[in-house]
Amino acid sequence: MNKTLPPFSCSHSPNLPELLNQLGCTIVISTYQAGKVIMISAINDNSLIQLPRNFQKPMGLAFKGNKMAVATTNEVLILGNAPQMAPNYPKQTNTYDALFLPRSVYYTGALDIHDLEWVGNEIWAVNTLFSCLAVVDEEYSFKPKWKPAFISDLSPLDKCHLNGLAMVNDKPGYVTALGESDTPEGWRKNKSNGGIIIDVESNEVIARGLAMPHSPRIYNDQLFALLSATGELIKVNTQSGRYEVIKKFDGFVRGMTRHGDYLFVALSRLRENSSTFNDLPIAKRSLFCGIVILHMPTAGIVGYLKYENSVEEIYDIKVIPGFKRPGLLNHEKAEHRMALTSPEGDFWAVAKTEE
């Protein structure tokens, strides 16, 4: 008789807890398929622990200082770390070395936001529905800041499936899209090899014919990206548009972040009934969902985590440096309302009993 596994069961390379301990960090992933943001921490050099929290179809994640942003179906949530509150969290005292609490919510509506980044004090979002980069604030659902030159007008038609944003010197530098189209969902006609990378400043397409590019990132002044449809990590020459394959994975790669010499890459296991993904070149080799850690100087795989159930698709992955066991409260449950923070001091409120 097969034993039923508990939710979010996973296996991992034996060295992964020790690696996270040595790096002094925690992994954070978003999975819109499971409706969770999950923090993955090392308890010691031999064991990991996960902290899954409910969010409505979370996508892009962004961190700046003590702030965390999460893009969901209709909102962008801002959470703040209150480290003084962490040791006294009533449900688990002396457990966390950080505690992210809900601080504000922007009601954006269903923009299909993908990547998020802080630009100064503004939150920039890849607004996939309107094919633009936009600022999230309290005045509107979004304020458009930039669109590809081939997009004739701002309309909610997902014309090119703009998805990824790479920052250069704390400013938007490059974006990825699944097609160079100005028609409603026109990117779908050539989705497996019609992807592009655009230089935001010049608004020029610098690379074409890419296999579903996602997660563009600048590391050591070089542009990297993931080709989801072929499972490849590439390095792009921004002058010629040519690229070299750094590593090929057996999975749909989407979501990438760096910490020190290590690159954390997220892989998804594609659903057979997905009309968007089931005919991609990688579909039959998309064997598991999880995380692969790459040593950048050698391009060697040095660790992994594989989900056995619950999580099949990951969108984003980030690393929180300096915290080995952070906590996270969402805005669905009442606990966060008991956390009272101020510049003068932080307190856990005591629930009043009825007289």
Side-chain angles (χ1 to χ4, degrees), residues 269-321:
R269 182 173 58 198
L270 300 183
R271 291 168 287 174
E272 293 181 0
N273 61 353
S274 170
S275 60
T276 302
F277 300 138
N278 61 9
D279 59 346
L280 298 179
I282 197 66
K284 292 182 179 180
R285 293 191 292 112
S286 180
L287 303 178
F288 75 94
C289 175
I291 301 162
V292 173
I293 299 99
L294 200 72
H295 183 242
M296 290 191 72
T298 62
I301 294 176
V302 296
Y304 68 83
L305 180 146
K306 297 180 180 180
Y307 279 100
E308 309 296 337
N309 60 13
S310 302
V311 182
E312 294 182 352
E313 295 182 27
I314 297 173
Y315 179 74
D316 207 355
I317 181 170
K318 292 289 189 289
V319 166
I320 308 178

Side-chain angles (χ1 to χ4, degrees), residues 44-61:
N44 49 46
D45 283 351
N46 301 305
S47 303
L48 295 178
I49 191 166
Q50 298 182 82
L51 181 63
R53 295 294 191 217
N54 291 338
F55 290 86
Q56 189 176 37
K57 294 185 177 179
M59 295 281 283
L61 303 171

